[in-house]
């Protein structure tokens, strides 16, 4: 797997790629022309905000499987062109949430207390205390547009300052908002009327571009303070200038711009405005998180595994993904194992979300399971972009269901594959670090974290069987990494699962089956 990084990236992210066996080309300051020339040789591309991934780049990337953005916004990537070619576009949306929330609070306080202009005055040799009288946050209403991770972190911090929180987000239920201490509004204009401070934390879309313009500014309280650390273009800067000049808007803290870099704008000359050059993610901690997270997602995409932050597929609300993200890999791995166990072509897949995750839409788990099924024996890379299409071509249907009651794990997924030979049922939960934990397979309860190479054997239980299997593998130089055996009180057949350090040859497979007279045997590569 070859990965190209054409701009600066934290060394910790490069280390993750290299530890996974990737061949990394780190070439900061790559020009657009160089990128087009280089990209045909690479399976993965990781960029930040300085590189524009155009249609020309994507079409030149004949081996490209995944484009990762080490950050949140993907405005610099032609996602439509990538989707047409089945290339995953993913981001690291949680890497800078704390940094963005803290930047929001920093700007809010700086504008409210006139910190920047007071600092400039002091450095000019002045002492004008009366000129810089500010306003307090306590007992003021903060209107938060966008109640995802960043918005909720801002609300949490603002409450610590004694602020009242009102919010707008079409994907958040009143119950969830109430649990976070937020009074939820369903109309943008109505919320504009109540905020002493207004902050926006929404993605830039057709609906949110220009969301705040002259009409909205006119509705706001006199002296309102605005903050935008989300995306440039959501607030109309040109219209804002007039309201700043009249005093209707008391001040603004702006970190993001519609066209970057920017050195001038209609609001650059106002003393009651604090401007920063897109610093929301500019902390050491956020840069490391962004680099390591996107490295992990790009590796998964190149391996044909589910990528939880894919942005060029059906959009899943952030609060839904927050609950389901750890189980996407569980659904795909369980389906992959079931497909390899089945002895006939798969005709259908059923996925059931059980326990706490039953409250969410399980369709994303169904897509992940389809990816697991169709990638087995596929000649093309499979991912959540093309999984449903490839499944339809094979005539594979998918059904999803929920089961709120779980007596075993707090949450788990049950995957069933159907073929002419019958059904294979596997359930999976998660282990620490979001690893997949198989909890039952073929009717046997287990607690097994599958690796890359898995052996499953079923045989009549009896003394000495495990020793014989170990001897066969040892003589062949195959190391057993983990092992689990499961029995049932209603059967004399035992099921044993091994993780081994390499794929086993046909001869070794035959020896393993013969030494214990195995009734069934499967040798899986995940």
């Amino acid at each position: 797997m070859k990965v190209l990084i054409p701009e600066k990236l934290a060394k910790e992210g490069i280390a993750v790629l290299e530890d996974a066996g990737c061949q990394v080309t780190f070439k900061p300051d790559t020009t657009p022309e160089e990128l087009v020339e280089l990209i045909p040789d690479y399976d993965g591309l990781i960029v930040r905000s300085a590189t524009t991934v155009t249609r020309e780049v994507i079409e030149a990337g004949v081996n490209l499987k995944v484009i990762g953005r080490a950050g949140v916004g993907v405005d610099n990537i032609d996602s439509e062109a990538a989707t047409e070619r089945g290339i995953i576009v993913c981001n690291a949306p949680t890497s800078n949430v704390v940094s963005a929330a803290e930047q929001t609070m920093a700007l809010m306080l700086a504008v409210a207390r006139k910190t920047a202009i007071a600092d400039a005055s002091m450095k000019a040799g002045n002492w004008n205390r009366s000129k810089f009288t500010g306003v307090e946050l306590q007992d003021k209403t903060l209107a938060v547009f966008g109640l995802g991770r960043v918005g909720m972190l801002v609300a949490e911090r603002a409450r610590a300052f004694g602020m009242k929180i009102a919010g707008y987000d079409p994907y958040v239920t009143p119950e969830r908002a109430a649990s976070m201490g937020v009074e939820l509004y369903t109309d943008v204009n109505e919320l504009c009327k109540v905020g002493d401070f207004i902050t926006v934390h929404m993605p830039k879309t057709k609906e949110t571009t220009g969301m705040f313009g002259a009409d909205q500014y006119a509705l706001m309280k006199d002296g309102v303070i605005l903050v935008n650390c989300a995306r440039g273009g959501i607030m109309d800067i040109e219209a804002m200038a007039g309201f700043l000049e009249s005093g209707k808007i008391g001040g603004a803290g702006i970190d993001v711009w519609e066209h970057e870099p920017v050195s001038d704008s209609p609001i650059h000359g106002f003393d009651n405005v604090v401007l920063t050059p897109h610093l929301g993610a500019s902390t050491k901690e956020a840069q490391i998180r962004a680099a390591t997270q996107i490295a992990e997602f790009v590796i998964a995409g190149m391996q044909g595994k589910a990528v939880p932050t894919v942005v060029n597929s059906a959009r899943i609300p952030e609060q839904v993904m927050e609950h389901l993200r750890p189980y996407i890999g569980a659904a795909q791995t369980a389906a992959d194992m079931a497909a390899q166990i089945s002895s006939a072509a798969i005709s259908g897949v059923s996925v059931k979300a059980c326990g706490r995750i039953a409250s969410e839409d399980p369709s994303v788990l169904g897509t992940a399971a389809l990816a697991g099924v169709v990638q087995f024996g596929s000649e093309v890379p499979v991912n959540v972009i093309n999984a449903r299409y490839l499944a339809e071509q094979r005539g594979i249907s998918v059904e999803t269901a929920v089961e709120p009651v779980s007596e075993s794990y707090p949450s788990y997924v049950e995957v069933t594959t159907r073929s002419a030979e019958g059904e294979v049922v596997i359930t999976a939960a998660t282990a620490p670090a979001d690893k997949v934990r198989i909890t039952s397979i073929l009717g046997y309860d287990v607690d097994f974290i599958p690796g890359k190479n898995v052996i499953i054997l079923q045989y009549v239980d009896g003394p000495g069987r495990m020793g014989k299997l170990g001897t066969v593998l040892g003589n062949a130089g195959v190391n057993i990494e983990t092992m689990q055996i499961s029995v049932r009180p209603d059967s004399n057949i035992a099921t044993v699962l091994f993780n081994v350090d390499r794929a086993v040859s046909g001869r070794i497979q035959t020896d393993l089956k013969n030494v214990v007279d195995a009734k069934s045997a499967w040798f899986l590569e995940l």
Side-chain angles (χ1 to χ4, degrees), residues 159-189:
R159 278 198 304 272
F161 280 85
M163 302 187 82
K164 303 169 186 176
I165 313 299
Y168 168 85
D169 192 315
Y171 296 111
V172 171
T173 64
E175 293 76 17
R176 176 169 169 77
S179 71
M180 299 298 293
V182 178
E183 181 182 359
L184 190 65
Y185 282 68
T186 58
D187 185 88
V188 170
N189 289 343

Side-chain angles (χ1 to χ4, degrees), residues 20 316 405:
I316 307 298
V405 178

Side-chain angles (χ1 to χ4, degrees), residues 395-477:
I396 302 173
S397 62
V398 62
E399 299 173 352
T400 58
V402 296
E403 176 56 65
V405 178
S406 171
E407 297 180 357
S408 51
Y409 291 82
S411 293
Y412 66 94
V413 294
E414 178 184 283
V415 175
T416 303
T417 57
R418 296 183 300 277
S419 70
E421 299 297 325
E423 295 184 343
V424 175
V425 182
I426 299 177
T427 64
T430 60
D434 289 344
K435 290 185 177 180
V436 176
R437 182 193 302 273
I438 303 300
T439 57
S440 73
I441 186 168
L442 302 168
Y444 286 79
D445 292 334
V446 296
D447 187 357
F448 183 73
I449 299 176
K452 181 176 177 60
N453 297 287
V454 176
I455 299 172
I456 305 174
L457 298 169
Q458 291 186 324
Y459 52 79
V460 175
D461 195 20
R465 300 297 178 91
M466 289 301 302
K468 293 179 179 178
L469 292 170
T471 299
V472 171
L473 291 171
N475 289 340

Side-chain angles (χ1 to χ4, degrees), residues 5 10 322:
I5 305 174
E322 183 177 351

Side-chain angles (χ1 to χ4, degrees), residues 289-310:
R289 283 194 297 267
T292 55
Q293 286 180 11
I294 203 62
E296 292 168 355
F297 298 151
V298 166
I299 291 167
M302 291 189 298
Q303 293 175 339
K305 297 180 179 179
V307 179
T309 64
V310 60

